[in-house]
């Protein structure tokens, strides 16, 4: 939809940087799809070492929004999603001026690495600043959620919980512990750099078709509590138990939905098995997989070398990204 006329705001510009995040207890399915009110609360780790930088420039000289991703014009679907989010910002600011949005990420997009989380966190922060809106972090987090559920969590650094809530205002993220609370390391084995065929939004919409989803959602308060306690006491064994079970439960729902979603590839499963074997040898490591084939392997600093050697031994040509607890999204 073109958003011309009433150029009450001529030019406003801001740039923000956000990290993606890794869900330790995952959000899958929505109570309200239009508002992206998640079916269950979730907990994540903000991933320092990977980032998206987004510049928003409202300019009454434009006839419609323009989006570039890594210096390339965006696909129409991405363009439309960003315009939808900018419309929310414009509505709050009482403006109708189109924007030029340019976004750069240093990690693969749409491959299940929470690229939409970093993208919509940065877009929300930069868009609101460029529009002259003064929202607090909680409000920014709720607004980011409308763009992508997981983006609500990237407004904060370290360990973060997204409270499911009942409506727009009560569904927001809040910090559990700062980035320096626990030195976890995430080695991400890139099984594939390709864009996934079915994105998370379509997956969330299919979640309720799985007979397992109701049980997964009903058990979520227990997993959330386990995870909060594992984080606050820095208990890696306890974290392992809940993180792997939560990931497996989500993939069980995905695989039993209509249409069925199979994100796990043979190499994904091989990595999961090696992480379990490494743990049996006494190395603290665990796996978790979001909506894609790539595997996040968490460990403590003393286990990093063995974990890396295990992953490299399994698949010497595969790229491994490294992330650690990162900071909240910020304005440049
Ligand atoms: C598996 O936040 O990507 O990564 O709201 O449709 O953009 P949309 O979905 P998204 O879903 C995240 C799914 C997940 C789990 C999680 O991050 O909690």
């Amino acid at each position: 939809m073109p958003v011309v006329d009433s150029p009450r705001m001529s030019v406003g510009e801001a740039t923000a940087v956000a990290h993606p995040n890794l869900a330790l207890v995952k959000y899958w399915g929505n109570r309200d799809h239009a508002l992206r009110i998640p079916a269950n609360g979730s907990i994540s780790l903000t991933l320092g070492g990977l980032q998206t930088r987004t510049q928003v420039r409202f300019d009454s000289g434009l006839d419609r929004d323009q989006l570039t991703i890594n210096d390339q014009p965006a696909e129409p679907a991405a363009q439309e999603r960003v315009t939808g989010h900018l419309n929310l910002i414009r509505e709050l600011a009482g403006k109708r001026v189109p924007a030029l949005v340019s976004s750069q990420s240093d990690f693969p997009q749409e491959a299940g690495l929470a690229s939409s989380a970093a993208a919509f966190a940065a877009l929300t922060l930069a868009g609101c600043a460029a529009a002259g809106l003064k929202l607090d972090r909680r409000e920014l987090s709720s607004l980011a959620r409308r763009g992508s559920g997981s983006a609500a969590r990237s407004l904060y650094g370290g360990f973060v919980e997204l409270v499911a809530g009942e409506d727009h205002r009560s569904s927001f993220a809040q910090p559990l512990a700062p980035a320096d609370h626990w030195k976890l390391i995430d080695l991400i084995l890139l099984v594939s750099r390709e864009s996934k065929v079915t994105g998370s939004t379509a997956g969330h919409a299919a979640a309720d078709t799985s007979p397992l989803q109701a049980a997964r959602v009903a058990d979520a308060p227990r997993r959330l509590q386990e995870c909060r306690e594992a984080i606050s006491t820095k208990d890696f064994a306890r974290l392992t138990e809940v993180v792997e079970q939560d990931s497996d439960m989500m993939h069980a729902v995905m695989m039993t939905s209509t249409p069925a979603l199979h994100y796990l590839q043979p190499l994904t499963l091989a990595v999961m098995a090696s992480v379990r074997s490494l743990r049996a040898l006494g190395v603290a490591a665990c796996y978790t997989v979001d909506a894609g084939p790539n595997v996040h392997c968490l460990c403590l600093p003393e286990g990093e070398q063995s974990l890396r050697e295990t992953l490299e031994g399994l698949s010497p040509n595969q790229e491994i990204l490294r992330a650690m607890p990162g900071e909240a999204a910020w304005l440049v």
Side-chain angles (χ1 to χ4, degrees), residues 169-238:
R169 287 175 66 83
S170 62
S171 187
F172 54 81
Q174 58 191 16
L176 286 179
D180 62 3
H181 167 69
W182 197 7
K183 271 196 166 176
L184 295 181
I185 292 162
D186 179 17
L187 296 185
I188 309 157
L189 188 119
L190 286 186
V191 171
S192 169
R193 269 185 170 262
E194 285 182 15
S195 296
K196 53 200 180 194
V197 182
T198 308
S200 301
T201 304
H204 290 301
D208 281 334
T209 63
S210 166
L212 306 184
Q213 171 70 346
R216 195 195 71 88
V217 170
D219 181 61
R222 181 193 65 83
R223 297 194 305 283
L224 288 165
Q225 186 56 19
E226 275 300 299
C227 191
R228 281 184 212 112
E229 286 177 24
I231 292 167
S232 74
T233 58
K234 297 190 236 184
D235 184 337
F236 197 90
R238 201 166 175 185

Side-chain angles (χ1 to χ4, degrees), residues 8-85:
R8 283 186 275 156
M9 170 177 54
S10 54
V11 174
E13 185 178 323
T15 299
V17 179
H19 298 300
N21 64 76
L22 167 64
L24 303 171
V25 172
K26 298 180 190 302
Y27 140 53
W28 196 247
N30 286 315
R31 197 176 296 188
D32 181 322
H33 291 295
L35 292 177
R36 280 193 163 84
I37 311 287
N40 61 279
S42 54
I43 293 179
S44 63
L45 175 62
T46 300
L47 297 179
L50 312 177
Q51 65 181 45
T52 296
R53 184 188 182 94
T54 299
Q55 185 185 45
V56 177
R57 181 185 158 88
F58 287 102
D59 187 341
S60 47
L62 298 169
D63 64 350
R64 57 175 61 235
D65 295 329
Q66 285 176 22
L67 168 68
T68 60
I69 298 177
N70 293 335
D71 301 321
Q72 301 295 320
E75 297 289 326
Q79 177 77 60
E80 213 173 289
R81 194 165 167 184
V82 163
T83 287
H85 201 60

Side-chain angles (χ1 to χ4, degrees), residues 12 14 37 51 58 73 77 79 87 104 125 134 185 217 225 252 260 262 266 288 304 312 331:
I37 311 287
Q51 65 181 45
F58 287 102
Q79 177 77 60
N87 285 344
Q104 313 267 350
L125 196 53
K134 302 242 179 304
I185 292 162
V217 170
Q225 186 56 19
H262 292 272
T288 179
E304 182 178 0
E312 285 171 353
L331 280 168

